Amino acid sequence: MAITVRHYDDSQEFRRDLFPVPSSVRLGRDLAEVHLNKWGLAAMADNVALIVSELLTNAIAASRGMVTMRLLMDSETLTIEVTDASPSRPRRKRATANDIGGRGLQIIEFLAESWGDRPSPDGGKVVWARCPLP
């Protein structure tokens, strides 16, 4: 599994490839929290951990291949990206009060300033969420 940490003049990046298994969701949350603390963004850790959980859970459900989590921080925003091998675009579901799941994108919409998706070069997709820095 590849791990990349880069520091640029005005931004920082953390990237980690993860196996498509449920335990990768917790690992992704933990890694995000560690890097937010390193970057002085501990105040964002709870919300970002929840966004990471939702994005990774969806990616693991959508694809059997490796998933990649990427955190990008610049002077104004933190962007969380998760790449998976499935070309299927994420769809917001209408979960009822009795549904166990189906609220992930609603949670992301509530916590993030914006979110979206784009095709990845290998035929899969990248789903991202952007949060303003405190």
Side-chain angles (χ1 to χ4, degrees):
M1 283 193 282
I3 299 172
T4 306
V5 178
R6 292 187 177 129
H7 303 279
Y8 305 102
D9 288 342
D10 61 346
S11 65
Q12 297 191 48
E13 174 186 2
F14 171 76
R15 176 185 167 129
R16 173 72 186 253
D17 294 333
L18 299 162
F19 291 109
V21 295
S23 60
S24 289
V25 175
R26 179 170 181 90
L27 177 58
R29 275 194 321 258
D30 291 347
L31 290 169
E33 186 175 350
V34 165
H35 282 276
L36 290 175
N37 285 320
K38 283 183 181 179
W39 295 342
L41 300 173
M44 299 178 68
D46 289 342
N47 286 351
V48 171
L50 191 49
I51 291 169
V52 165
S53 291
E54 297 302 334
L55 291 177
L56 286 174
T57 297
N58 290 348
I60 290 167
S63 176
R64 289 195 169 92
M66 295 291 282
V67 297
T68 302
M69 178 184 77
R70 191 170 164 217
L71 305 175
L72 302 156
M73 182 189 67
D74 62 28
S75 61
E76 298 178 2
T77 60
L78 175 73
T79 303
I80 304 111
E81 295 183 348
V82 173
T83 304
D84 66 57
S86 171
S88 298
R89 297 185 69 191
R91 287 190 346 249
R92 190 170 179 244
K93 297 178 183 174
R94 289 184 169 234
T96 66
N98 295 326
D99 288 338
I100 293 173
R103 293 177 185 81
L105 292 178
Q106 292 172 356
I107 291 168
I108 292 168
E109 282 179 355
F110 180 77
L111 296 175
E113 176 180 77
S114 59
W115 75 275
D117 67 278
R118 67 179 183 272
S120 65
D122 62 1
K125 69 177 169 304
V126 178
V127 183
W128 55 269
R130 188 167 294 122
C131 300
L133 296 182

